[in-house]
Amino acid sequence: KKAQKKGGAGGKKASASSSNNNNNNSDSNEGYRRYTSPSGHPILIGRNSRQNDQLTMRLAKPGDVWMHARGVPGAHLLLRVQGKKEGGPSEEDIQYAADLAIWFSKSREERRGEVTCADPKDIGKPKGAKPGQVMVKKEWVVVGRPGESVACGEVGVLKGIE
């Protein structure tokens, strides 16, 4: 399944695809929801607490952007930045990812919600914490809009098919 949504100004397109376990990626990347930001940065989203743990504690690298809906249960999101020669993500990329982070949380039905953002180097796992639980040492916050998320559009398309 592939869906596309026009980005903000400039008319750039960003793509989305849900991945299944039968993809050609390495074991560490299997099963994550996958999207591509308007500037071409990969976005990975955990589907459960085990994947959230793996995404945050093993796959994330310094310089990537980690996101999670603030104060509510939700998926861990990783905006992959490292290795990109053209630099970090744009404001449009950050907003695109924040909209996804809110969509894949308990705040999905809200008009907007706060999203915690952090460099993975600023995230730790407390001793004895359950899978998916982390401690963020340094964060910044953006506002996500679930209704603007490309994932929201995918659900609309799927409902129209049923």
Side-chain angles (χ1 to χ4, degrees):
K1 299 174 191 174
K2 290 212 174 197
Q4 290 193 339
K5 180 179 179 180
K6 286 196 178 214
K12 293 180 186 175
K13 289 185 179 178
S15 66
S17 68
S18 293
S19 74
N20 297 323
N21 285 337
N22 60 356
N23 58 27
N24 293 329
N25 297 319
S26 67
D27 288 340
S28 65
N29 290 338
E30 280 189 21
Y32 297 116
R33 288 182 178 95
R34 299 171 183 283
Y35 293 86
T36 302
S37 76
S39 298
H41 296 284
I43 298 171
L44 301 174
I45 305 171
R47 292 178 182 267
N48 54 49
S49 57
R50 182 188 54 76
Q51 280 191 348
N52 286 342
D53 241 19
Q54 188 177 40
L55 187 72
T56 302
M57 305 315 295
R58 293 192 179 140
L59 203 57
K61 303 287 185 229
D64 289 343
V65 178
W66 177 90
M67 293 186 177
H68 188 281
R70 195 165 196 220
V72 296
H76 293 206
L77 179 145
L78 187 63
L79 176 59
R80 303 298 307 262
V81 179
Q82 44 95 22
K84 284 288 208 180
K85 291 181 179 135
E86 57 274 4
S90 66
E91 284 185 33
E92 185 179 12
D93 292 330
I94 296 291
Q95 186 64 60
Y96 182 89
D99 294 344
L100 284 167
I102 286 294
W103 178 260
F104 290 109
S105 78
K106 293 285 184 182
S107 291
R108 178 182 290 195
E109 301 298 322
E110 304 297 324
R111 286 189 55 198
R112 61 181 54 95
E114 291 184 335
V115 177
T116 294
C117 304
D119 188 303
K121 70 180 182 189
D122 296 319
I123 299 170
K125 186 155 184 75
K127 201 170 199 173
K130 294 178 182 175
Q133 290 183 330
V134 296
M135 180 176 58
V136 180
K137 299 168 192 149
K138 185 177 175 185
E139 68 175 353
W140 73 94
V141 177
V142 296
V143 175
R145 306 154 309 183
E148 298 295 316
S149 168
V150 67
C152 178
E154 290 171 351
V155 169
V157 169
L158 292 175
K159 284 185 179 176
I161 293 172
E162 295 176 340

